[in-house]
Amino acid sequence: MEEPQRSRSHTVTTTTSSFTENFSTSSSSFAYDKEFLRTLPGILIVAEIVFGLLVWTLIAGTEYFRVPAFGWVMFVAVFYWVLTVFFLIIYMTMTYTRIPQVPWTTVGLCFNGSAFVLYLIAAIVDASSVTKERNNHNYNSWAASSFFAFVVTICYAGNTYFSFLSWRSRTVQ
């Protein structure tokens, strides 16, 4: 007992708007700037990501909750690590060219400047919190995280300098 087949309408109406046309044409091509990683700011961002990851993983693998100061170091390290990965994606995909309303040079200067200051504070707190006590198996990890925190601080200082140069050249014009 087969059911009779229903007739289907093969007529499909479509409408397009200027918004969908503009959106589909602007997002259909994927921009990728592989040359960015060869620039000094690109190299510094990759270094910030790698060494920043070392900072917070070296601390997270220990009993850092016993020393309250490491909570601050963890906050700064994880917060700026996530944002730096976000900015790397923005630079690599050239998203900043698609959103011209955002003053990217000012955003970069504020981000790198705040990262430099807060990472410097976190590195000093990290270094001053490292103590060699008996039966303290966390010493090596904490000492290494302190070293890498200062390395990341130097990287953010470099990117702050380059962001300042970029910002200054935009404001002069």
Side-chain angles (χ1 to χ4, degrees), residues 92-168:
M92 293 292 297
T93 59
M94 298 173 56
T95 303
Y96 58 90
T97 61
R98 295 183 183 178
I99 311 172
Q101 299 85 356
V102 177
W104 289 107
T105 53
T106 306
V107 170
L109 179 61
C110 292
F111 170 73
N112 287 312
S114 67
F116 167 66
V117 170
L118 292 180
Y119 237 109
L120 180 62
I121 294 168
I124 292 169
V125 167
D126 194 359
S128 64
S129 299
V130 175
T131 58
K132 187 162 181 146
E133 299 173 1
R134 286 185 167 211
N135 300 324
N136 189 357
H137 59 278
N138 299 323
Y139 174 77
N140 290 334
S141 293
W142 290 346
S145 74
S146 175
F147 171 76
F148 288 118
F150 281 105
V151 171
V152 175
T153 302
I154 292 168
C155 292
Y156 278 117
N159 257 340
T160 301
Y161 173 73
F162 290 119
S163 294
F164 175 74
L165 292 179
S166 177
W167 174 80
R168 189 171 173 199

Side-chain angles (χ1 to χ4, degrees), residues 2 4 8 10 12 14 20 24-25 27 33 35 37 42 53 59 70 73 89 95 110-111 116-119 124 145 148:
E2 285 183 29
R8 295 184 185 176
H10 293 290
V12 177
T14 59
T20 57
S24 65
T25 58
S27 63
D33 186 12
E35 294 298 318
L37 292 179
L53 180 67
I59 293 175
F70 287 125
V73 177
I89 292 169
T95 303
C110 292
F111 170 73
F116 167 66
V117 170
L118 292 180
Y119 237 109
I124 292 169
S145 74
F148 288 118

